[in-house]
Amino acid sequence: MESSTKVPEAVAALHAGFDALSDDVVEGLRTQLPSYAALSADRLRPRVAAALRNGLTLVQRWSDEARRSPRGAASGGDRTYELPAGHLDEVTALAGSVPVEDIISAYRIGSEIVWRRFGEEMAARHATAEDLLPIAETLRAWANATTLRIVRSCGTGNRDRTSTDRGRAALVRALLLGEARPDAPGGGSVDAAYDGGVLRTPFRARLPHLPGADVAGPVPTAGVGSGSAARHSPAPAGSGDGVLARAVELLRPWLALDAAGRPLVTTVDGDAAGLLAGRPDGLCRGLVVGLGAPAPASGAAAEFTHATQALRAAVGSGLTGVHTREELGLRATVVAMPAVGEALVRLRLAPLAERGEEGAQLEEAAAAYLRQGMRLEAAARLLYVHPNTLRNRLRRFEECTGTNLRDPADLAEIWWALTHRRVHGPAPDDAPQPPGNVKTVTPIR
């Protein structure tokens, strides 16, 4: 077989198995790149097919040029590397869903898969290294040129999208806080981000063990007007960037998207927030997520209130993963009914304040005892004290507060008061602490 026919025949063989080759590339991208795994195969396949057709056509043309040129592959220095019309626009749009670095990696992965298949076809035709080297060099130069054009295109697109991204985040935030205007013009309307016929699930999330700015503050009230903004002042610049990026990374397969394919997310007082198309699968240990119920745009604010309550209850209980208010039971009720908690704090914990540091020590003993499932030795280990020492502190706690830790009703009231204090923090009208070195209970934020 003549060398001049090997490349065209190998390219023709790849064209003949084009669908299988496209599927191999799509599978490779979704296996190696998590951001591509979040995209459906049906969405990726047309883009992959267009890139493959372009690449195979260019290989065929380069082979024809090499045969006609006296210098053969040396003419590659004058070669131009075209992309299909509109291809860069598609790549720029895709950069809204996946990182630019992953798009570049996708070209590398796709090129490696195609080159491996091309090499197999050339080997079947007994091609030599001299046959493959010109094509390999040209393909490498094409990949470098294409990468440069993608970086430039996405860089321009990112600058152009900055104001649009901010506007979308502001709209999502307004929708969640009950401030969205259904009749706002253009991209500021609810319809621009929320398909009225589709139910979305509001969520609020934060990183585990990362204090936030609002968990001990007020819960948003659904359906309020300008007053809501006062309770939810914008977070300091950059304060929510880390949790938002992590939330998008972990929740991407379930995030609701706008018409342009961009996730409907924002930040609220340093927490990640937004809309989901479905409930996340798995444990999701890298986040603490509170969920509302699926709702139309008109009900998003009310369900975001429930999501906030679930988040605060989960954080206050030291939980991670995804939770609804209903799943958290009494923990969420403590968040939703602060007046009850305040009354129980005054009834059961206020007497401890009169004892200063000793009272704080007794409260700490009771809290550890309950947290360890009323197992005395486990609670003593947690506090680094002897079990008899803890037993004496619990007895003094009962005497001071007028409670019986063996009475279910008293036990429930103490648990509620302690959980309220941990979630909401001390109330302004709590009994004042006496002067001196007094240990205070730090609320979970």
Side-chain angles (χ1 to χ4, degrees):
M1 182 180 298
E2 295 182 3
S3 176
S4 60
T5 66
K6 293 176 182 176
V7 171
E9 290 180 2
V11 171
L14 294 183
H15 274 297
F18 188 82
D19 290 343
L21 181 60
S22 296
D23 289 342
D24 286 346
V25 173
V26 169
E27 182 180 359
L29 298 181
R30 300 183 78 235
T31 299
Q32 299 185 48
L33 298 172
S35 60
Y36 275 70
L39 304 176
S40 68
D42 291 338
R43 182 180 177 187
L44 288 175
R45 194 169 284 109
R47 290 183 168 92
V48 168
L52 286 179
R53 288 192 182 94
N54 178 64
L56 294 177
T57 299
L58 289 177
V59 169
Q60 178 66 66
R61 199 187 73 194
W62 297 336
S63 176
D64 294 342
E65 290 176 356
R67 291 201 311 271
R68 290 194 300 266
S69 171
R71 295 178 296 167
S75 63
D78 301 325
R79 202 185 306 278
T80 58
Y81 306 100
E82 297 87 350
L83 288 174
H87 183 72
L88 286 179
D89 292 338
E90 291 187 8
V91 170
T92 302
L94 184 62
S97 302
V98 300
V100 176
E101 294 83 358
D102 284 3
I103 295 177
I104 296 172
S105 296
Y107 270 84
R108 175 187 56 78
I109 293 168
S111 297
E112 290 175 353
I113 294 173
V114 174
W115 180 252
R116 184 174 64 249
R117 290 285 293 110
F118 180 74
E120 291 171 356
E121 294 295 339
M122 290 290 283
R125 289 158 179 79
H126 307 289
T128 65
E130 288 76 10
D131 296 322
L132 289 171
L133 184 58
I135 298 298
E137 291 178 344
T138 305
L139 184 61
R140 185 179 299 110
W142 172 82
N144 290 340
T146 300
T147 297
L148 181 60
R149 294 175 69 179
I150 289 173
V151 170
R152 289 173 175 171
S153 175
C154 291
T156 301
N158 286 335
R159 290 191 296 270
D160 293 340
R161 285 196 306 269
T162 299
S163 60
T164 302
D165 291 345
R166 290 175 178 170
R168 184 178 63 259
L171 176 59
V172 173
R173 188 173 185 274
L175 183 66
L176 297 176
L177 298 182
E179 302 168 356
R181 295 167 46 202
D183 57 346
S189 68
V190 171
D191 291 340
Y194 208 118
D195 184 345
V198 178
L199 301 182
R200 301 300 190 195
T201 302
F203 77 91
R204 186 165 180 173
R206 73 175 44 164
L207 300 176
H209 312 302
L210 180 65
D214 185 55
V215 143
V219 178
T221 302
V224 296
S226 59
S228 175
R231 286 194 301 276
H232 288 276
S233 57
S239 63
D241 288 351
V243 65
L244 182 61
R246 183 64 171 160
V248 170
E249 177 186 357
L250 293 178
L251 301 177
R252 185 180 291 279
W254 303 279
L255 289 174
L257 307 176
D258 65 7
R262 301 180 189 279
L264 296 174
V265 294
T266 186
T267 58
V268 174
D269 295 330
D271 292 330
L275 300 167
L276 300 175
R279 176 167 180 142
D281 298 328
L283 298 178
C284 197
R285 295 300 189 192
L287 284 174
V288 187
V289 183
L291 294 183
S298 59
E303 291 305 324
F304 183 68
T305 297
H306 297 163
T308 297
Q309 292 171 348
L311 174 67
R312 294 176 61 188
V315 171
S317 301
L319 303 176
T320 60
V322 180
H323 308 275
T324 66
R325 190 177 63 159
E326 292 73 20
E327 293 165 353
L328 291 168
L330 274 180
R331 293 182 176 93
T333 305
V334 172
V335 174
M337 301 179 65
V340 175
E342 291 170 5
L344 290 174
V345 167
R346 288 193 296 269
L347 176 66
R348 296 305 187 192
L349 301 184
L352 298 174
E354 301 172 1
R355 294 177 176 262
E357 186 174 1
E358 181 195 12
Q361 189 179 68
L362 299 181
E363 181 176 328
E364 180 186 48
Y369 181 61
L370 294 184
R371 192 159 58 247
Q372 294 299 316
M374 296 183 292
R375 292 177 293 128
L376 188 72
E377 291 187 357
R381 287 195 299 270
L382 182 67
L383 297 175
Y384 298 101
V385 298
H386 192 277
N388 287 339
T389 301
L390 177 59
R391 188 177 287 107
N392 290 332
R393 290 180 184 178
L394 294 176
R395 178 180 51 78
R396 294 203 304 275
F397 176 89
E398 291 177 322
E399 294 171 352
C400 181
T401 60
T403 60
N404 182 347
L405 293 177
R406 288 167 295 281
D407 184 292
D410 286 358
L411 204 60
E413 291 179 350
I414 293 167
W415 174 87
W416 192 306
L418 291 171
T419 303
H420 173 91
R421 173 76 60 85
R422 191 168 65 246
V423 172
H424 294 277
D429 56 349
D430 276 354
Q433 299 280 351
N437 183 20
V438 178
K439 181 177 181 181
T440 61
V441 178
T442 302
I444 291 182
R445 295 180 179 272

